[in-house]
Amino acid sequence: MDLKNKTVVIIGGTSGIGLATAVEANERGAIVHAASRSKEKVEAKASEHPDINFFQQDIHDSLGLEKSFRALGEIDHVVAVATGANRKNAPFMEQSPEEFKEAFNKFWGYTNVARLSIPLIREGGSLTFVSGFPARKCNVGMSSISATGCAVEGLSRALALEVAPIRVNVVAPGIIDTEAFDRLGEGKSAALENMGKNIPIGRVGKPEEVGLAILHAMENPYMTGATIDIDGGILLP
Ligand SMILES: NC(=O)c1ccc[n+]([C@@H]2O[C@H](COP(=O)([O-])OP(=O)(O)OC[C@H]3O[C@@H](n4cnc5c(N)ncnc54)[C@H](OP(=O)(O)O)[C@@H]3O)[C@@H](O)[C@H]2O)c1
């Protein structure tokens, strides 16, 4: 099933993995709509990629999200990739309950996307969530993002049963060089290079390498309830 003339909606599509997916889907002939919160990012990406329809939308604003989905009419493929939370990397016992719960805002955003888009997805269509390697390989300080990732993966399998034949899958990235690491400032490249040394492939990943797996989840008509790990082998023992 190719993506030519298929309608693809990506929530969290102005940066990193979501943007790379939008660009690749557009190159394969899809009609791509990509959203995020920041007006600046939406405007900047719209001028860089005029063939993609970027729009402003917070994944937590369920009324706005419902309006945005309805305005698009029928949809073929939906991707929920927004980070949607300020996560604190710290051991569980060093986080307040509020800090721990904050990580789950990613999950609640994904439930909004699922609830509001599934009624609009055409036969043969799909919903893809993005989790992350900490769901199944957790270092100290990752308890909240690990638990959130597990929740995303569990929800996708449960939904895959309930909404079939609409397909629901997860793509779980390893460490990927995206704007998410811009907080490291000038040390970003060196830090990512260092992280790459502990990964079997020997480097961190590129957003488009994860995008390829998301496109596969859209295009493969027999894939549902699956989790695709794109992580350079980081999950290996
Ligand atoms: N990079 C990695 O190493 C890595 C590893 C494992 C898992 N992941 C997961 O992969 C996904 C994408 O990460 P990334 O590295 O590509 O991050 P990124 O480059 O920071 O992109 C995140 C995207 O989500 C949007 N976003 C954030 N909060 C949002 C909200 N409340 N509503 C709508 N859009 C929102 C951002 O735009 P705005 O700021 O404009 O909203 C941006 O477009 C995330 O779910 C992340 O947890 C990433």
Side-chain angles (χ1 to χ4, degrees), residues 11-19 35-39 41-42 57-61 80-85 87 105-106 110 130-134 145 171-181 192 207 210:
I11 307 297
T14 60
S15 165
I17 295 166
L19 177 63
S36 83
R37 294 164 302 178
S38 148
K39 191 167 180 267
K41 281 191 210 168
V42 164
Q57 182 60 58
D58 188 327
I59 201 168
H60 298 123
D61 167 15
V81 56
T83 317
R87 290 97 56 101
N105 280 335
K106 167 170 166 170
Y110 285 16
V130 175
S131 64
F133 75 95
I145 59 172
V171 172
I175 301 172
I176 310 299
D177 182 354
T178 69
E179 290 84 334
F181 289 101
L192 287 173
V210 182

Side-chain angles (χ1 to χ4, degrees), residues 57-89:
Q57 182 60 58
D58 188 327
I59 201 168
H60 298 123
D61 167 15
S62 37
L63 283 180
L65 196 59
E66 182 172 22
K67 245 174 138 179
S68 298
F69 279 131
R70 287 205 180 281
L72 296 174
E74 286 192 323
I75 299 167
D76 294 290
H77 302 287
V78 177
V79 181
V81 56
T83 317
N86 295 317
R87 290 97 56 101
K88 181 173 176 184
N89 277 5

Side-chain angles (χ1 to χ4, degrees), residues 61-220:
D61 167 15
S62 37
L63 283 180
L65 196 59
E66 182 172 22
K67 245 174 138 179
S68 298
F69 279 131
R70 287 205 180 281
L72 296 174
E74 286 192 323
I75 299 167
D76 294 290
H77 302 287
V78 177
V79 181
V81 56
T83 317
N86 295 317
R87 290 97 56 101
K88 181 173 176 184
N89 277 5
F92 177 80
M93 295 303 285
E94 292 170 22
Q95 291 198 46
S96 68
E98 290 68 33
E99 284 167 338
F100 188 82
K101 281 182 194 163
E102 168 64 27
F104 269 82
N105 280 335
K106 167 170 166 170
F107 177 76
W108 297 123
Y110 285 16
T111 64
N112 279 344
V113 171
R115 187 171 291 111
L116 298 170
S117 69
I118 283 169
L120 304 173
I121 297 178
R122 284 195 188 96
E123 206 181 316
S126 72
L127 170 61
T128 305
F129 294 138
V130 175
S131 64
F133 75 95
R136 277 161 292 123
K137 187 164 185 176
C138 184
N139 297 326
V140 169
M142 289 183 164
S143 59
S144 60
I145 59 172
S146 177
T148 306
C150 289
V152 169
E153 294 182 5
L155 176 67
S156 107
R157 286 188 290 272
L159 276 178
L161 273 180
E162 291 181 5
V163 305
I166 292 169
R167 300 175 295 103
V168 186
N169 295 292
V170 171
V171 172
I175 301 172
I176 310 299
D177 182 354
T178 69
E179 290 84 334
F181 289 101
D182 284 355
R183 61 189 149 79
L184 299 178
E186 283 182 3
K188 177 180 173 180
S189 315
L192 287 173
E193 200 180 321
N194 240 350
M195 290 182 218
K197 289 182 185 150
N198 298 319
I199 297 170
I201 291 283
R203 61 168 176 84
V204 301
K206 300 174 189 164
E208 51 274 23
E209 291 167 337
V210 182
L212 284 178
I214 297 175
L215 293 196
H216 185 69
M218 293 181 204
E219 289 180 333
N220 188 325

